């Protein structure tokens, strides 16, 4: 298969590209990434160097924006791409609270540009990577299924829900073979240290206070990133156009429990836990019913949370140079501003 993967230098995109090219060495991936603060070309540099100069390389990196019509059209044509997998997004809820505009620009308008280019070039599959956050927030009971009404609460989740609706419109109006996947919280290698698990690892390692929003009782359903990537591959190869598939890890954990597990694994004291001002509009609980993906795609999470967390912490321990390199000036400025206000 010949794929346009967008946002492939981010957390999930990097894991996806590594996974599919290992499993399918005959596939071709063109990775279009704007390299925002969250994108790191070095993640796949070894692959890029190995393929450079080949007549028909199976991995090509292109620095650019998903909103660039001429660029996307030319890539689809030049590389004879059959499918699009759209990971590119502004992905951090807290940043969307500070400034929603880039979220609407990339996550909605950027996605619409990709859809339009796919339509113009007759692409055979378009997989939109969405999120469980489009469904809103759960109380103590129940799960989200694919028919749960969309009820996003943050500018980030509103932008993702909007993109889902535009995807639906392209399917209904133009017959574009769009598939939407909605997944819960990923964890694993290459996650940017603004998200809970790598941020808490970093703080704990440095002996800094660990900022817990509210009471730390919010619940997320954690999934190993490799399992999400496998689900996306299954949706791409076996999914039915027009369908939505939920993926989850069957691993609901309260934030405080996750943070305590990290402290324990690193041998750090719980006195580092610091309760700070809550995230505005903070969703209380996410939990996924992924029985449709299990039934129709043969999807199943492979790794339990405790094993996956241990592997993740080991990866960050072994890759301290990576962790250091992604903390640019822009990263530090956001951290100072956001957590400065919450202290
Ligand atoms: P990330 O922030 O780590 O990576 C996003 C990537 O997109 C970066 O490489 C960035 O440079 C690139 N990008 C941003 N704007 C771009 C643009 N205009 N043009 C081209 N590239 C651009 O995000 P992630 O955590 O890897 O998430 C990937 C996708 O999966 C997102 O769509 C997100 O909404 C979705 N998702 C994430 C999770 C999660 O737990 N992280 C769960 C469910 C769904
Ligand atoms: O559910 C899928 C979503 O998961 C994805 O769509 C998003 O792209 C991804 O960022 C993630 O969103 P969350 O907001 O759930 O993830 P985050 O890691 O930012 O926060 C997880 C929980 O931890 C949440 O309840 C807020 C809390 N938290 C987070 C940070 C960064 C804290 O208590 N303190 C913190 O410093």
């Amino acid at each position: 298969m010949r794929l346009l993967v967008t946002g492939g230098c981010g957390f999930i995109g990097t894991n996806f590209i590594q996974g599919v090219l290992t499993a399918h060495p005959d596939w071709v991936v063109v990775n279009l990434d704007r390299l925002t603060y969250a994108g790191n070309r070095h993640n796949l540099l070894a692959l890029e160097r190995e393929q450079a100069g080949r007549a028909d390389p199976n991995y090509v990196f292109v620095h650019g924006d998903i909103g660039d019509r001429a660029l996307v059209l030319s890539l689809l044509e030049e590389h004879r791409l059959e499918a699009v997998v759209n990971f590119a997004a502004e992905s951090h809820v807290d940043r969307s609270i500070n400034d929603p505009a880039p979220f609407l620009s990339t996550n909605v308008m950027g996605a619409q540009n990709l859809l339009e280019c796919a339509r113009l070039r007759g692409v055979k599959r378009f997989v939109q990577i969405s999120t469980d956050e489009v469904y809103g927030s759960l109380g103590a009971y129940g799960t989200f299924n694919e028919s749960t009404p969309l009820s996003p609460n943050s500018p980030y989740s509103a932008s993702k829900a909007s993109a889902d609706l535009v995807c639906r419109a392209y399917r209904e109006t133009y017959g574009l073979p769009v598939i939407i996947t909605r997944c819960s919280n990923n964890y694993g290698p290459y996650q940017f240290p603004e998200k809970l698990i790598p941020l808490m690892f970093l703080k704990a390692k440095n002996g800094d206070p660990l900022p817990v929003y509210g009471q730390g009782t919010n619940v997320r359903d954690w999934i190993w990133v490799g399992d999400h990537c496998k689900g996306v591959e299954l949706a791409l190869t076996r999914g039915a156009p027009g369908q939505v598939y939920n993926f989850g890890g069957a691993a609901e954990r309260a934030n405080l429990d996750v943070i305590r597990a990290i402290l324990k694994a690193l041998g750090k004291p719980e006195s580092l836990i610091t309760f700070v001002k809550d995230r505005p509009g903070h969703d209380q609980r996410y939990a996924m019913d992924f029985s449709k993906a299990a039934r129709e795609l043969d999807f199943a999470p492979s790794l339990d949370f405790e094993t996956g967390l241990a592997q993740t912490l080991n990866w960050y321990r072994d890759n301290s140079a990576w962790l250091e390199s992604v903390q640019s000036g822009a990263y530090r400025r956001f951290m100072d501003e956001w957590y400065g206000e919450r202290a």
Side-chain angles (χ1 to χ4, degrees), residues 8-12 14-15 18 37-45 188-195 197-199 201-202 205 312 315-328 331-332:
C9 294
F11 164 45
I12 306 173
T14 293
N15 282 283
Q18 287 179 343
Y37 76 94
N40 191 346
R41 185 172 176 176
H42 279 82
N43 294 353
L44 296 166
L45 202 57
Y190 299 105
Q191 188 166 30
F192 196 73
E194 62 188 356
K195 308 287 166 53
I197 290 178
L199 180 70
F201 170 87
L202 191 60
K205 186 175 73 88
T312 303
W315 188 87
Y316 282 103
R317 231 186 319 233
D318 295 345
N319 290 275
S320 50
W322 181 91
L323 201 50
E324 192 53 42
S325 72
V326 299
Q327 294 172 62
S328 65
Y331 172 82
R332 290 179 208 281

Side-chain angles (χ1 to χ4, degrees), residues 12 90-94 130-134 156 160 183-186 191 194-200 203 210-214 216 218-222 255 259 276 278-279 282-284 286 335 338-339 342:
I12 306 173
E90 290 293 337
S91 68
H92 191 36
V93 172
D94 295 338
S130 186
T131 168
D132 60 357
E133 299 202 8
V134 298
Y156 162 72
K160 295 295 290 186
C183 189
S184 60
N185 286 62
N186 288 218
Q191 188 166 30
E194 62 188 356
K195 308 287 166 53
L196 184 73
I197 290 178
L199 180 70
M200 296 301 153
K203 299 271 185 199
L210 273 54
V212 181
Y213 299 160
N218 304 69
V219 171
R220 298 292 181 264
D221 172 4
W222 293 95
N255 292 340
I259 291 164
V276 300
D278 207 352
R279 171 188 278 175
H282 196 172
D283 289 336
Q284 179 55 36
Y286 304 143
M335 289 290 155
W338 178 261
Y339 291 98
R342 320 207 97 61

Side-chain angles (χ1 to χ4, degrees), residues 1 3 11-25 27 85 87 127 129 179 181-184 186-187 223-239 245-249 290 293-294 296-303:
M1 194 166 318
L3 297 179
F11 164 45
I12 306 173
T14 293
N15 282 283
F16 178 77
I17 292 174
Q18 287 179 343
V20 291
L21 288 181
T22 303
H24 311 280
W27 284 18
V85 183
F87 289 100
V127 181
I129 310 303
I179 292 165
T181 65
R182 297 185 181 136
C183 189
S184 60
N186 288 218
Y187 68 101
I223 181 171
W224 173 247
V225 64
D227 287 333
H228 179 196
C229 291
K230 185 67 197 163
V232 171
E233 186 189 326
L234 289 169
L236 174 70
T237 53
R238 299 190 199 172
Y245 299 99
N246 279 357
F247 301 127
F290 53 86
E296 296 183 15
L297 304 178
D298 212 13
F299 166 80
S302 70
L303 214 56

Side-chain angles (χ1 to χ4, degrees), residues 48 75 88 96 120 126 137 159 187 192 195 197-198 211 220 249 274 287 295 297 314 333:
E48 196 181 325
L75 291 177
S96 82
L120 291 171
F126 188 108
S137 182
S159 71
Y187 68 101
F192 196 73
K195 308 287 166 53
I197 290 178
R220 298 292 181 264
T274 309
R295 211 170 43 245
L297 304 178
N314 283 340
R333 273 195 301 283

